Amino acid sequence: MKKFLTFFILLVSFIGNSQILDPVKWTTKVVQLSNDEFELVMNAKIDNEWHMYSQFTPDGGALPAVFEYRNAKGNYTLVGKTKESTYKKIFNDIFEVDEYYFANTAQFKQKIKVTNTKLKEVKVYLEYQACKEQCIQQDKTFIFKLPEIKEVTKVEEKTTESPVIKEEKKTEEVAAVIEELVEKDTSETKVDKNREDVKQVDKATSEVSTKNENPDDEINNWTLFLLTLIAGIFVTFTPCVFPMIPMTVSFFLKQSANGDKKKGRLNALMYGVFIVLIYVLISLPFHIFQSLSPDIFYEISTNPYLNIFFFIVFVVFAISFLGAFEITMPSALANKVDNASNKGGFAGIFFMALTLIIVSFSCTGPALGAVIGGVLSTDGGATLLTIAMLGFGLGLAFPFMIFALFPSMMGNLPKSGGWLNTVKVVFGFIELALAFKFLSMADLVMDWHILEREVFIVIWIAIFIGLALYLFGKITLPHDSPLSHISVGRLLLGLVSLSFSIYLIPGLWGAPLNIISGFPPPMTYSESPNGVGFKSTLTNSTTTNESLPEHAHYGPHKIIAFHDYDEGLAYAKKVNKPVLIDFTGKTCVNCRRMEELVWAKPEILSILNEEVVLISLYVDDRTELPEDKKYSSDNGKEINTYGKKWSDLGITKYKANIQPYYILMKHDEGNLNKPVGYTPDVSEYKAWLEEGIANFKK
């Protein structure tokens, strides 16, 4: 359902109207470091939900950012490599590689030493890829204006160069050599290590705030809110909280019974509001931390030692929930807050809410830790944490407010008993499973290969089988009441846990396990990176066949395709078929999804093979154009590769620069129907194809 909603929103935003997209906005500045040394700073502001890719993203996935320093020869030399701000890493299950990308903001810096004192400007050319559900190829030319450079004679340089400076220069030269050698090693571990050395940027000179909030759309925020709301409600059904509901409600009912019903109801509402407020206040320090250090959430999510700390905390909480010991707040603090709750007015109600939070900490603490730790272990940002705390606090406060406002519902509450401890134990098992996510993240960062995908899945299978056995009454724990029979609800929950365990088993042999996508380590971090018996579903595009038309190639599923617009159009006229233009990319994830999930369907495949001529134009093809075919676009961009040529065609002719993008075209190059973008619905895509073909035949 979540995927469906995401696809729907993206279809509305991208497919509804073709348009020229420019999701990355740039600002630049020059920082003078000495008379002849400068730092070129390029700041990128990236639209919400879009990403651009790092210079160091591994081969086989998205295209990396590439910098060219155009007028360097005879004018200046580069000091070291181009440095960039902290990137994020995500596994691409289509290309089966990790990809390094930026969201919201990015910063690139390059130090130069000027050798031509008359130099007035530096030209930097950048090519990069930006993606959302579709990908676009972008390029920019930056012009950096330099201040006047004073002449410095060689004699002066020699007299001012102390032995210390000479030693520093020698150290810098050695470091540059080491950096170059490290970059030549393409292994993931060393690339990551090298990136850690260069990712730190000079925040004092940055003009753009480098916020690391995840580009979560409204759907993800609401999902997080609802999940934490449910967690807060569930926590009320624990031994520390549930017995307090009738006690608290009776206090407010007593006020109503004394003749002031409005005051009683208002106080009940304020009690709930204060519970929510206290939990939201817990998140506020993280906003301060983020303002002081914008990278804090990324650092937390990738710091192996912090993740190990979270792992230990979660294991301790889980053991507590299972009944080994109780985690409680200091009794002196609880007593002091309880005494303060005797004050009248809203201040007394506030301290009543605080008393509830303190005395119920042994049950709410582990769940609260799961909420905070779960968000902090991502790069979701302080705003996402506040949303989570708001949901959790509201969930905890909800029963108290409802029963105070509608006391007749109290009769429907179950009586306290052994089932409360069962709820607590179930939380313990879930907490234990979540703990290994943190250990897994530390293991991935450090490349220990202790908790590879198969080991992680085995641990989860064992935990959820253990939970199933507990719910079936085959395992008893310290605080469990004698069990003569199991309830229907307990039986059903046990079956769910057992079914989930069985679902996980194929993951040991490479099954994707979409339900828990993102929790286990990626397929590349396993004993069988491609899964046992893996075989690519895509046809080798280099396959040759004598029956192919001239200039044609085999595309996915052996569909005959042309990679040149003019050659494909000429063939379409020859065989009298409409043209299907496919603006695509070698690194376009959703282009591959369309090919694998839509084009592979028999009803679509037959149309592509028999009723249209497919022209696939790869906008990220970096093959050089012949010299006589190179040109400058209307906006002054240099068109020197086939990819740029096809990208410029999409922009100038179709006013769109997204991939995938599909056009059904007549021989006079007019459209047969309205172009579409990413369309994962097979029936919708088929209807679109049939509409265009029918218009061609009229």
Side-chain angles (χ1 to χ4, degrees):
M1 182 65 182
K2 181 180 176 182
K3 289 183 178 178
F4 171 79
L5 291 173
T6 304
F7 287 152
F8 177 80
I9 289 177
L10 291 167
L11 285 171
V12 171
S13 60
F14 285 109
I15 300 172
N17 294 293
S18 51
Q19 56 182 326
I20 300 300
L21 298 178
D22 186 17
V24 184
K25 310 298 186 298
W26 292 90
T27 59
T28 61
K29 71 173 182 176
V30 178
V31 179
Q32 186 164 7
L33 304 176
S34 65
N35 179 55
D36 57 355
E37 287 189 327
F38 300 88
E39 186 172 59
L40 312 178
V41 183
M42 292 155 278
N43 292 312
K45 185 175 181 181
I46 307 167
D47 288 352
N48 189 36
E49 301 180 18
W50 284 85
H51 306 87
M52 69 170 289
Y53 292 90
S54 163
Q55 306 167 85
F56 305 96
T57 193
D59 292 339
L63 292 181
V66 178
F67 290 88
E68 293 181 17
Y69 295 86
R70 289 287 173 88
N71 60 332
K73 188 175 180 180
N75 291 317
Y76 60 90
T77 58
L78 304 181
V79 181
K81 305 294 183 181
T82 302
K83 297 183 179 182
E84 60 184 41
S85 55
T86 304
Y87 59 74
K88 303 175 184 180
K89 183 165 69 173
I90 189 171
F91 180 71
N92 186 319
D93 56 358
I94 298 295
F95 297 110
E96 297 184 343
V97 296
D98 283 321
E99 292 182 332
Y100 307 156
Y101 70 94
F102 303 99
N104 292 346
T105 58
Q107 186 179 71
F108 301 90
K109 290 185 176 183
Q110 176 63 58
K111 290 182 181 179
I112 64 169
K113 183 176 180 64
V114 176
T115 55
N116 177 10
T117 57
K118 296 181 180 179
L119 182 67
K120 299 299 183 184
E121 63 183 28
V122 174
K123 294 181 180 180
V124 181
Y125 178 73
L126 166 64
E127 283 186 323
Y128 61 96
Q129 187 176 70
C131 295
K132 190 178 180 182
E133 282 295 310
Q134 289 91 348
C135 292
I136 60 175
Q137 308 305 122
Q138 298 281 79
D139 60 270
K140 296 286 182 183
T141 299
F142 304 115
I143 305 296
F144 293 89
K145 300 293 184 181
L146 300 183
E148 182 181 356
I149 301 171
K150 297 179 181 179
E151 293 280 354
V152 180
T153 65
K154 293 183 179 179
V155 175
E156 288 173 335
E157 289 177 352
K158 289 180 179 179
T159 56
T160 58
E161 187 172 69
S162 68
V164 174
I165 294 176
K166 287 182 178 180
E167 187 63 30
E168 288 179 350
K169 286 187 174 180
K170 186 182 292 184
T171 303
E172 289 178 358
E173 290 173 0
V174 172
V177 172
I178 293 173
E179 184 177 10
E180 184 175 354
L181 290 174
V182 172
E183 285 186 357
K184 289 181 179 178
D185 192 325
T186 58
S187 69
E188 181 181 326
T189 303
K190 293 189 177 181
V191 169
D192 285 346
K193 185 177 181 181
N194 186 40
R195 292 307 312 125
E196 288 298 319
D197 293 336
V198 301
K199 74 176 183 179
Q200 297 300 325
V201 297
D202 184 6
K203 294 183 177 63
T205 61
S206 176
E207 291 182 338
V208 177
S209 174
T210 317
K211 292 183 180 179
N212 258 337
E213 291 187 16
N214 204 31
D216 287 304
D217 55 24
E218 190 175 354
I219 291 176
N220 289 333
N221 291 341
W222 276 108
T223 301
L224 175 67
F225 175 77
L226 291 174
L227 288 175
T228 52
L229 176 70
I230 293 170
I233 293 173
F234 275 140
V235 164
T236 61
F237 295 99
T238 56
C240 318
V241 181
F242 189 79
M244 298 186 68
I245 294 177
M247 294 172 56
T248 306
V249 170
S250 64
F251 172 80
F252 294 115
L253 290 179
K254 185 178 179 181
Q255 291 182 333
S256 298
N258 291 334
D260 197 349
K261 291 185 177 181
K262 288 185 178 180
K263 181 180 179 181
R265 290 178 178 178
L266 176 61
N267 289 346
L269 286 173
M270 291 306 301
Y271 180 75
V273 168
F274 285 136
I275 291 175
V276 175
L277 178 62
I278 291 169
Y279 279 111
V280 170
L281 289 174
I282 294 173
S283 72
L284 293 186
F286 293 96
H287 287 268
I288 299 173
F289 300 152
Q290 183 171 279
S291 66
L292 297 175
S293 175
D295 295 336
I296 186 169
F297 282 86
Y298 178 84
E299 292 168 359
I300 289 174
S301 66
T302 58
N303 187 299
Y305 305 107
L306 284 174
N307 277 290
I308 291 173
F309 170 75
F310 283 129
F311 166 73
I312 294 171
V313 168
F314 269 51
V315 169
V316 170
F317 279 152
I319 294 173
S320 172
F321 263 25
L322 294 175
F325 51 82
E326 293 290 330
I327 300 174
T328 59
M329 297 285 276
S331 57
L333 175 63
N335 291 334
K336 184 177 293 187
V337 174
D338 185 48
N339 291 334
S341 67
N342 294 324
K343 296 179 179 180
F346 288 159
I349 296 173
F350 173 84
F351 284 106
M352 279 184 64
L354 186 58
T355 301
L356 168 71
I357 291 171
I358 291 174
V359 300
S360 63
F361 180 77
S362 61
C363 291
T364 60
L368 185 61
V371 172
I372 297 177
V375 176
L376 291 183
S377 66
T378 69
D379 49 5
T383 301
L384 211 59
L385 179 61
T386 298
I387 292 172
M389 297 300 285
L390 174 65
F392 185 82
L394 189 59
L396 181 62
F398 185 74
F400 289 91
M401 292 189 292
I402 288 296
F403 289 121
L405 294 174
F406 305 100
S408 60
M409 295 176 62
M410 289 284 292
N412 298 323
L413 277 178
K415 294 182 179 180
S416 299
W419 66 271
L420 290 173
N421 187 68
T422 301
V423 173
K424 192 175 179 181
V425 170
V426 170
F427 278 137
F429 277 101
I430 295 173
E431 197 98 9
L432 187 61
L434 294 176
F436 284 93
K437 171 61 177 173
F438 295 100
L439 184 61
S440 170
M441 292 172 69
D443 185 61
L444 282 166
V445 172
M446 300 302 292
D447 202 36
W448 289 328
H449 286 271
I450 297 172
L451 199 61
E452 292 182 328
R453 183 179 176 88
E454 293 88 349
V455 177
F456 182 96
I457 292 172
V458 164
I459 292 172
W460 269 41
I461 291 172
I463 289 173
F464 286 98
I465 286 179
L467 174 57
L469 292 175
Y470 172 78
L471 292 169
F472 291 149
K474 302 301 181 182
I475 297 174
T476 57
L477 291 171
H479 300 294
D480 286 330
S481 302
L483 191 66
S484 59
H485 66 280
I486 61 174
S487 65
V488 174
R490 184 166 177 161
L491 172 64
L492 294 176
L493 188 58
L495 290 173
V496 169
S497 181
L498 181 60
S499 300
F500 181 65
S501 303
I502 297 172
Y503 166 80
L504 295 176
I505 292 173
L508 299 173
W509 288 274
L513 303 180
N514 292 331
I515 292 178
I516 59 168
S517 176
F519 275 88
M523 284 292 298
T524 54
Y525 200 76
S526 66
E527 296 176 5
S528 303
N530 293 321
V532 176
F534 170 80
K535 185 177 181 181
S536 177
T537 59
L538 289 180
T539 304
N540 187 346
S541 60
T542 62
T543 303
T544 60
N545 190 303
E546 294 180 358
S547 64
L548 277 173
E550 187 180 6
H551 306 302
H553 307 266
Y554 276 129
H557 317 295
K558 281 199 170 183
I559 301 170
I560 295 175
F562 291 83
H563 294 164
D564 183 271
Y565 180 89
D566 295 324
E567 293 168 353
L569 179 58
Y571 180 75
K573 292 177 180 178
K574 179 180 177 181
V575 297
N576 194 31
K577 291 181 179 180
V579 174
L580 173 60
I581 298 178
D582 165 30
F583 283 102
T584 184
K586 296 177 181 178
T587 59
C588 171
V589 173
N590 278 330
C591 301
R592 302 295 85 77
R593 285 178 176 161
M594 284 294 293
E595 293 163 3
E596 294 177 8
L597 303 178
V598 179
W599 287 13
K601 299 298 182 183
E603 61 269 36
I604 302 296
L605 193 56
S606 63
I607 295 175
L608 299 180
N609 275 323
E610 300 169 10
E611 300 189 47
V612 299
V613 173
L614 176 64
I615 303 178
S616 292
L617 304 178
Y618 288 83
V619 299
D620 54 2
D621 183 356
R622 293 190 174 180
T623 304
E624 285 281 332
L625 285 167
E627 286 298 323
D628 60 340
K629 300 293 184 181
K630 295 180 180 178
Y631 65 96
S632 294
S633 65
D634 294 340
N635 57 7
K637 288 186 178 181
E638 182 181 355
I639 308 300
N640 54 9
T641 66
Y642 282 98
K644 291 180 181 180
K645 177 181 178 179
W646 306 138
S647 179
D648 184 56
L649 174 66
I651 293 172
T652 56
K653 183 175 176 61
Y654 299 105
K655 310 302 179 186
N657 60 349
I658 58 176
Q659 299 89 47
Y661 197 65
Y662 305 106
I663 298 101
L664 278 167
M665 189 178 75
K666 297 181 288 186
H667 295 161
D668 64 0
E669 302 183 58
N671 292 352
L672 289 165
N673 56 0
K674 187 177 181 179
V676 297
Y678 180 59
T679 312
D681 186 284
V682 176
S683 60
E684 182 181 348
Y685 192 72
K686 181 186 177 185
W688 176 79
L689 287 172
E690 291 175 339
E691 177 192 28
I693 294 169
N695 290 336
F696 177 80
K697 292 178 179 179
K698 288 180 181 179

